[in-house]
Amino acid sequence: MSSYCFGIDVGGTSVKCGLFKTDGTLVEKWEIPTRRENNGDKILPDVGDTINNKIKERNLDKKDIAGVGIGIPGPVNGKGEVERAVNLYWGFKAVSKEIEEYTGLPAKAGNDANVAALGEAWKGAAAGAQNVILVTLGTGVGGGIIVDGKIVAGEHGAGGEIGHAMVLRGEKEKCNCGNHGCLEQYASATGIVRVAGRKLAETDEDSVLRSLSNITAKDVLDAFKAGDKVAIDIMEYVGDLLGGALSGFAAVVDPEAIVIGGGVSKAGQPLIDCIQKYYREYAFPSCKNTRMLIATLGNDAGIYGAAKMVL
Ligand code: ZN
């Protein structure tokens, strides 16, 4: 049996790399820059080089390495291929195949949010769970769905695109994906700011938010936790949409746990309480008591999940 595996998480500015024991112990982690010039054609060769160098440096035997898992910021199909990854300036890439060629090791590629979900299900907030929904509330809303311990990638690699579930009819503004009324338009950091703008315009109620020239999601969340009435209104609205969307996903997946990650999740338990209140109202009776947890691996979720893919 192999003793080691690699977990790689490709981001827009840096590639996070991890060498793991197959039991999930992180032996070492390091980063290399993401070279996006020339349509990012150096990114995968760089990943191959850093893996080969690490194997040499540590005197590892390739027979002792289960493989390389790699998370990519874009849709990845079941064959480990990417049609397009805008953040990396990529067109089509057969990611798994290329990494196998560079390293001589088995390789598996997945979407970064899906991979992060697998990481949280393996060693993070939902450690040991086989069925998990992860929703990442950051600049956008990402997501990943784990069923029977495996990522649901789907036919186009779009499995787990929770942020683009339609949650509000009649929205006039456009989502980044081109549609209208996506969850991301309300529950991402930018979405929360947008909702704040609308709520503040709707009421003349006093709020600490009014004194700020440039409201951020953190301002809204801080005011929410401090008991500001308008901020509570904003987050109740967001919690309602998010709790509703998650109840829909839970009706499909019936997960052991729902994990909330990303920068917005730093708001902690008050945020969970606000989402859970609505989730419990809408969820199918068997799913009402599903655990809702804050992600614990932070930026390392990607390397953990990537490593897990090849085990
Ligand atoms: Zn969308």
Side-chain angles (χ1 to χ4, degrees):
M1 252 207 38
S2 311
S3 331
Y4 295 96
C5 58
F6 286 95
I8 309 292
D9 183 18
V10 180
T13 51
S14 70
V15 180
K16 294 186 184 68
C17 309
L19 172 65
F20 290 84
K21 290 265 185 67
T22 48
D23 66 2
T25 312
L26 178 59
V27 178
E28 184 187 348
K29 66 172 174 172
W30 68 100
E31 284 186 24
I32 59 171
T34 307
R35 291 202 284 160
R36 296 194 290 178
E37 60 265 28
N38 297 320
N39 297 319
D41 63 3
K42 288 286 191 300
I43 298 173
L44 293 179
D46 284 351
V47 169
D49 285 346
T50 197
I51 288 169
N52 290 331
N53 290 338
K54 191 57 64 184
I55 290 171
K56 234 182 260 165
E57 181 194 314
R58 286 190 168 258
N59 247 322
L60 302 176
D61 186 338
K62 282 199 179 171
K63 277 189 246 116
D64 264 347
I65 302 169
V68 180
I70 180 165
I72 303 292
V76 180
N77 69 21
K79 287 185 263 179
E81 298 165 343
V82 172
E83 279 306 326
R84 210 162 140 253
V86 226
N87 289 342
L88 305 177
Y89 304 125
W90 280 3
F92 177 84
K93 280 227 189 293
V95 180
S96 303
K97 195 164 152 270
E98 268 198 48
I99 294 293
E100 283 179 358
E101 281 167 13
Y102 296 136
T103 62
L105 294 166
K108 267 197 186 141
N111 165 266
D112 56 358
N114 288 345
V115 168
L118 188 58
E120 289 291 344
W122 187 35
K123 293 288 167 186
Q130 293 295 300
N131 300 291
V132 175
I133 294 174
L134 169 82
V135 58
T136 309
L137 309 176
T139 319
V141 172
I145 291 172
I146 306 301
V147 170
D148 293 337
K150 292 201 173 67
I151 288 170
V152 176
E155 182 64 21
H156 309 93
E161 283 292 351
I162 291 172
H164 300 284
M166 203 282 286
V167 295
L168 192 70
R169 286 173 215 282
E171 173 66 50
K172 295 281 183 296
E173 285 178 44
K174 232 186 209 176
C175 177
N176 287 327
C177 74
N179 291 349
H180 297 82
C182 294
L183 179 63
E184 177 166 299
Q185 290 185 276
Y186 317 98
S188 62
T190 37
I192 290 171
V193 171
R194 246 167 33 93
V195 173
R198 287 182 180 179
K199 289 278 173 199
L200 285 165
E202 269 171 21
T203 164
D204 41 24
E205 192 152 356
D206 203 31
S207 167
V208 289
L209 297 173
R210 290 196 196 278
S211 61
L212 306 170
S213 53
N214 240 327
I215 297 173
T216 65
K218 188 175 182 299
D219 296 330
V220 177
L221 290 160
D222 286 346
F224 160 69
K225 288 198 278 187
D228 183 274
K229 249 193 105 213
V230 178
I232 290 173
D233 252 19
I234 296 164
M235 289 316 296
E236 291 281 326
Y237 181 84
V238 171
D240 186 353
L241 293 176
L242 191 48
L246 288 172
S247 76
F249 288 107
V252 179
V253 176
D254 187 10
E256 292 164 65
I258 296 172
V259 181
I260 314 280
V264 171
S265 73
K266 291 197 179 111
Q269 198 56 41
L271 174 74
I272 293 279
D273 293 344
C274 173
I275 303 167
Q276 205 161 34
K277 179 170 96 185
Y278 292 97
Y279 171 81
R280 284 194 175 140
E281 185 182 336
Y282 304 133
F284 184 68
S286 328
C287 307
K288 281 193 194 292
N289 291 317
T290 301
R291 289 181 296 156
M292 200 173 276
L293 309 163
I294 297 281
T296 57
L297 294 177
N299 289 333
D300 288 345
I303 55 172
Y304 275 90
K308 176 67 172 129
M309 274 198 296
V310 291
L311 297 177

